[in-house]
Amino acid sequence: ADGFSSSKDAISDEELLQVSEQLYQLDHNKAQPSDITINPQYQASPEETADQQDHSPQPLYQYVNEKLFSKPTYASFIKLLDNYQRATGREEEVTAEELREQDNFLKEVMKTEVMKRLFTFLHSKNRYDSQQEFVADLKEMWFGLYSRGDGEQDSSGFEHVFSGEVKKGKVSGFHNWIRFYLLEKQGTVNYFSHNWDGPWDTYPDVLALQFSWDGFYKEVGSAFIGSSPEFEFGLYTLCFISRPGRVCHLSLGGHSLSIQTYPWTKATYSNGKKFLATAYIIS
């Protein structure tokens, strides 16, 4: 159905469980339990997630060991976060420096065991002939621009998922703990409550939360807590390639986790390939 030459190139549910466990074990850059202290405070019921009430007077992040951010994948990831206009409908102007930052991030993540394993797996399934082809596709898939607004090249998968956008007066995307921590520290993000806390007792953990960003509200934003940038980037990529537009069932440390991705259907690149529109944990 996906146009691959033989059934052995199909990615089975069992293989997704296996490879996600492997990526989880290989995430050597993740936060250790001593690196982060969070204070989740109020747990909202499903009926309360839309009420826009701040039930948590304290910040979510009590402590983060910022030495994490000097690791190459973290440092190159953080450089990307200020490259975007968050309002949809406003054209993104991509500078030569920003293109270099994209290339540098991809270069750094491809040095990690997580992304090397992901490439090996996708290569074994005949999705890519070479690492060079894989990296070129990642750049288009995640950083290629398309229009969520009125024909302006105003969005990309990376901006939506990791940096966050504002559309029709609401926060859209924004599923990254590093971004959240940095903006909460600045005072532009205000944590309200959480409605789901994952079963993990080490990092990465998962939290689904309610918050405001400069007064714009996010009703349910799910995010890994304490994962490395390459781990999130790799898992979302795995699911987007394996189960685009469908629920992708994974396993992390013996606990099940599901990710939903959607392709952007109104524009394509490289002979009909779809850009990533969104990817998030189902909570």
Side-chain angles (χ1 to χ4, degrees), residues 16-27 30 114 196 198-206 223-225 227 231-232 234-236 238-239 248-259 281:
L16 284 174
L17 298 178
Q18 289 170 356
V19 76
S20 55
E21 280 290 0
Q22 291 166 0
L23 299 179
Y24 178 77
Q25 300 301 330
L26 291 170
D27 188 15
K30 68 186 176 190
V114 168
W196 190 74
W200 296 271
D201 53 12
T202 58
Y203 297 117
D205 197 1
V206 176
F224 286 108
I225 310 283
S227 59
F231 180 74
E232 286 182 67
L235 272 198
Y236 291 146
L238 171 67
C239 285
C248 174
H249 298 292
L250 308 176
S251 178
L252 305 181
H255 296 289
S256 60
L257 175 102
S258 298
I259 285 173
I281 302 156

Side-chain angles (χ1 to χ4, degrees), residues 257-275:
L257 175 102
S258 298
I259 285 173
Q260 175 76 55
T261 65
Y262 286 105
W264 187 253
T265 56
K266 297 173 187 172
T268 59
Y269 68 92
S270 299
N271 301 325
K273 285 194 167 192
K274 302 275 198 321
F275 298 103

Side-chain angles (χ1 to χ4, degrees), residues 88-101:
T88 57
R90 288 174 67 181
E91 182 97 21
E92 294 292 346
E93 291 178 29
V94 184
T95 66
E97 184 184 1
E98 288 171 357
L99 289 172
R100 280 196 298 276
E101 289 172 355

Side-chain angles (χ1 to χ4, degrees), residues 79-197:
K79 276 207 164 77
L80 294 167
L81 294 174
D82 64 358
N83 289 354
Y84 299 102
Q85 301 260 11
R86 71 179 179 190
T88 57
R90 288 174 67 181
E91 182 97 21
E92 294 292 346
E93 291 178 29
V94 184
T95 66
E97 184 184 1
E98 288 171 357
L99 289 172
R100 280 196 298 276
E101 289 172 355
Q102 292 172 11
D103 289 335
N104 190 50
F105 171 71
L106 292 169
K107 184 185 82 181
E108 292 300 343
V109 296
M110 288 310 301
K111 292 177 185 174
T112 66
E113 298 297 320
V114 168
M115 291 300 288
K116 285 177 183 172
R117 177 70 192 102
L118 177 60
F119 167 70
T120 303
F121 174 70
L122 295 172
H123 178 63
S124 75
K125 292 294 181 179
N126 289 320
R127 296 307 200 270
Y128 300 99
D129 290 332
S130 66
Q131 188 169 306
Q132 190 178 358
E133 184 192 345
F134 179 47
V135 172
D137 196 42
L138 287 173
K139 187 166 182 180
E140 288 287 354
M141 179 194 307
W142 279 99
F143 294 103
L145 292 174
Y146 49 81
S147 173
R148 284 184 201 264
D150 306 316
E152 310 287 348
Q153 297 290 90
D154 64 349
S155 188
S156 68
F158 187 93
E159 176 186 8
H160 180 84
V161 172
F162 293 112
S163 187
E165 299 180 292
V166 171
K167 185 176 182 182
K168 296 179 180 171
K170 290 183 179 176
V171 176
S172 181
F174 198 141
H175 300 286
N176 180 254
W177 75 271
I178 299 166
R179 173 73 161 162
F180 190 100
Y181 165 74
L182 292 171
L183 291 181
E184 186 178 59
K185 187 180 166 187
Q186 282 178 19
T188 54
V189 156
N190 180 13
Y191 170 72
F192 282 14
S193 55
H194 69 287
N195 63 293
W196 190 74
D197 190 354

